[in-house]
Amino acid sequence: MSIRLLVSDVDGTLVDKQKQLSPATIAAVARLRDAGIGFTIISARPRSGMLPIADALAIDAPMAAFNGGIVFRRDGRVDSHVTIDEGVARGVFALIGDAAVDVWVFADDRWYASTDQGVHVEHERVASNQAPIVTSDFAALLDHADKITLVSDDPALLGGLTERAKTAFGDKATVAQSQTYYLDVTALAANKGDGITALAAAFDVPLALVAAIGDQANDLPMLARAGLSVAMGNGPEAVRHAAQHVTLGNDQDGVAHAIDTLILPRF
């Protein structure tokens, strides 16, 4: 099977644990392009957090933020944009109640947060390439929010909220954990399955000739649709089990390894 396009997740996949691109990954993407194979990225990140990656890798083709909620280009053009249904957004806040979670809302290309403290906030400063706007009142954002993220280091708490949110809103929104400590709610069409389909169409490449690589539960929809699916070695067992192949971890240049051993040999 010939591969003509690689679509990569970003955090936990393309970048290392310090959220940096390694020289080996940059060089591997260049080899991919030299071979005539397309490359782009899809992420739960906002556009602001994807642009430094796009700049470093010279991605001028369409890419997808918010798990596919915004398909855009480095020059600022937006090909498509969907936001969370307002009733769902307000319902998520009602569901939270007094749960001990931090809350982030992304809207208008800005990141609004219930606190600017904590290790996850520091990581998100890097991932989103911006500082949070601290607020306790998110009401004015809920009719056009791109993503709501609940943050907790309590797996049982976040897992319970995930299941409750899926039960309540699973037919009206995309509810998935992008990390063990992040629960993301995006628009129903803002999922990586629809996202990779849109990106494949933009490149005029059939899904059967598209490879996808990712590490978390929110990557499962795109791994299911891609002709070639690759899980990162650092991903949880369920993701590794769902993919056709497993590469090295993101701190071991796993994307570069996949490009050289799984993708280029198929071109």
Side-chain angles (χ1 to χ4, degrees):
M1 180 178 63
S2 175
I3 295 300
R4 291 171 47 197
L5 171 65
L6 171 60
V7 178
S8 177
D9 170 50
V10 175
D11 295 292
T13 300
L14 190 66
V15 298
D16 61 22
K17 290 179 181 176
Q18 284 69 50
K19 300 191 180 295
Q20 300 295 314
L21 286 166
S22 74
T25 297
I26 294 171
V29 171
R31 288 194 293 277
L32 200 69
R33 286 218 186 90
D34 289 344
I37 302 172
F39 178 82
T40 192
I41 53 179
I42 186 168
S43 176
R45 290 185 180 196
R47 287 192 291 171
S48 59
M50 296 179 69
L51 285 173
I53 304 295
D55 289 342
L57 297 176
I59 302 172
D60 289 316
M63 51 194 145
F66 297 124
N67 296 329
I70 301 179
V71 176
F72 71 104
R73 303 171 190 246
R74 191 156 59 121
D75 64 7
R77 283 181 290 168
V78 174
D79 292 352
S80 62
H81 184 189
V82 293
T83 58
I84 305 169
D85 175 85
E86 181 180 359
V88 170
R90 297 193 184 282
V92 169
F93 271 76
L95 182 147
I96 295 169
D98 59 358
V101 296
D102 293 336
V103 180
W104 301 344
V105 174
F106 295 83
D108 304 319
D109 289 321
R110 296 289 184 268
W111 166 32
Y112 298 86
S114 57
T115 178
D116 61 359
Q117 301 299 308
V119 65
H120 299 307
V121 169
E122 295 310 309
H123 290 166
E124 187 62 23
R125 287 178 187 269
V126 177
S128 66
N129 193 34
Q130 60 175 290
I133 299 170
V134 178
T135 183
S136 60
D137 185 1
F138 298 92
L141 306 171
L142 300 185
D143 63 348
H144 62 289
D146 288 298
K147 183 174 72 167
I148 298 171
T149 299
L150 309 185
V151 185
S152 173
D153 286 314
D154 183 334
L157 172 62
L158 205 60
L161 286 171
T162 300
E163 292 310 310
R164 289 170 58 197
K166 285 181 176 179
T167 298
F169 310 115
D171 61 340
K172 298 177 182 177
T174 298
V175 180
Q177 289 188 239
S178 59
Q179 299 290 339
T180 57
Y181 38 82
Y182 292 156
L183 167 58
D184 292 339
V185 179
T186 52
L188 185 62
N191 67 83
K192 290 189 179 180
D194 288 347
I196 196 173
T197 299
L199 292 172
F203 277 82
D204 194 24
V205 174
L207 278 169
L209 304 183
V210 177
I213 184 166
D215 73 306
Q216 287 295 330
N218 67 328
D219 295 312
L220 289 172
M222 76 169 180
L223 296 179
R225 294 198 196 186
L228 180 71
S229 58
V230 184
M232 297 298 292
N234 52 284
E237 182 179 359
V239 177
R240 289 184 277 113
H241 180 74
Q244 296 164 347
H245 300 276
V246 178
T247 186
L248 302 176
N250 65 322
D251 270 358
Q252 300 171 294
D253 297 318
V255 170
H257 181 76
I259 287 172
D260 288 335
T261 64
L262 297 172
I263 298 170
L264 287 174
R266 283 174 163 80
F267 182 65

